[in-house]
Amino acid sequence: MRRQHARAGFPLVLSIALLSACQMSAPSSEILRASETPGAPPGADPDACYGRHVTPAIIETVTEQVLVQPPQIDASGAVSYPAVYRTETRQEIVRERKELWFETLCTEELTPEFVASVQRALAVRGYYNGAANGRMDHATKRAIRAYQVEQGVDSDILSLAAARQLGLKEVPRDNG
C-alpha cells in the first residue's frame, strides 16, 4: 500500500492517545520474600525480601486519513472530483511494560521506629518535610521515590541500598 501526502488544508494524520483502564492505573509495588515468590529474581537469597515494581505499558491509538485517490482537477484548475480518503486505525506501544526487582527490607523490619528514622533521614536531605510520625504514608512514599530515582530505582518501596546510603542499615564488610 502506497501512501500519498495530502496538500495543505487536507488533514493527513490525526493522532489520539487513548489509554485503557489498566494503563491509567498507578504502577504496582509490593514486597515479596524470595522463598515465597515463584517469579523471584534468579539467584535470589531465599531469606531476603525483594521489592517488585511494575509499570504498565502505554498504548496509543493512532487514526490516519490515507489518501486513496487524489482529487481530479480539470484544465481550468477547478476540482471536478474531490480526493477520496480512507480512515485507518491501529494501536502502537508507546512505552513497554517494565518490571523492576531490587533487594529491600522485609515488611517486619518496617516498624514505626524504623519508618520514623527514614522520615528524619529524608528530611535532613530535603526530600521529606512532614512529621516523623512512623507511618508509611503517601508523603513518605513520595519522598522515598524522589530519593531513590536518582539511583535508578523508580519505586516508593525503600531499597536496601537506599537504606544503607541513608545510614539506616549496616553495610556488609568487605572481607577482601
Side-chain angles (χ1 to χ4, degrees):
M1 170 174 68
R2 195 176 128 212
R3 294 184 183 185
Q4 297 180 10
H5 294 286
R7 292 188 342 234
F10 289 94
L12 178 63
V13 178
L14 302 172
S15 188
I16 303 170
L18 300 174
L19 300 176
S20 68
C22 69
Q23 293 154 342
M24 294 175 70
S25 63
S28 65
S29 298
E30 53 190 332
I31 297 175
L32 305 164
R33 191 172 299 279
S35 60
E36 301 165 1
T37 308
D45 176 0
D47 295 326
C49 291
Y50 289 85
R52 178 174 173 253
H53 182 79
V54 178
T55 304
I58 295 177
I59 299 172
E60 179 180 69
T61 299
V62 178
T63 301
E64 289 183 323
Q65 297 296 312
V66 179
L67 183 64
V68 176
Q69 179 179 337
Q72 302 295 319
I73 302 173
D74 62 23
S76 67
V79 175
S80 59
Y81 190 78
V84 177
Y85 291 91
R86 177 180 67 241
T87 302
E88 290 184 357
T89 302
R90 69 180 183 287
Q91 293 191 335
E92 295 178 353
I93 296 175
V94 176
R95 185 184 71 201
E96 295 285 336
R97 176 185 181 273
K98 294 180 188 174
E99 184 173 87
L100 173 67
W101 287 89
F102 53 92
E103 194 169 357
T104 187
L105 290 85
C106 294
T107 307
E108 61 270 12
E109 294 177 87
L110 297 173
T111 63
E113 294 79 19
F114 185 82
V115 173
S117 295
V118 170
Q119 291 168 330
R120 285 189 295 273
L122 291 170
V124 166
R125 290 163 178 82
Y127 292 94
Y128 180 74
N129 60 4
N133 57 19
R135 290 191 300 263
M136 189 59 78
D137 55 16
H138 183 68
T140 304
K141 289 181 177 186
R142 189 174 52 240
I144 289 170
R145 170 172 269 131
Y147 178 74
Q148 292 186 138
V149 79
E150 295 173 7
Q151 287 108 28
V153 179
D154 186 11
S155 176
D156 58 9
I157 297 174
L158 183 66
S159 71
L160 183 59
R164 287 177 174 156
Q165 288 174 344
L166 290 169
L168 302 174
K169 289 298 286 182
E170 66 280 354
V171 176
R173 192 177 276 193
D174 186 15
N175 294 335

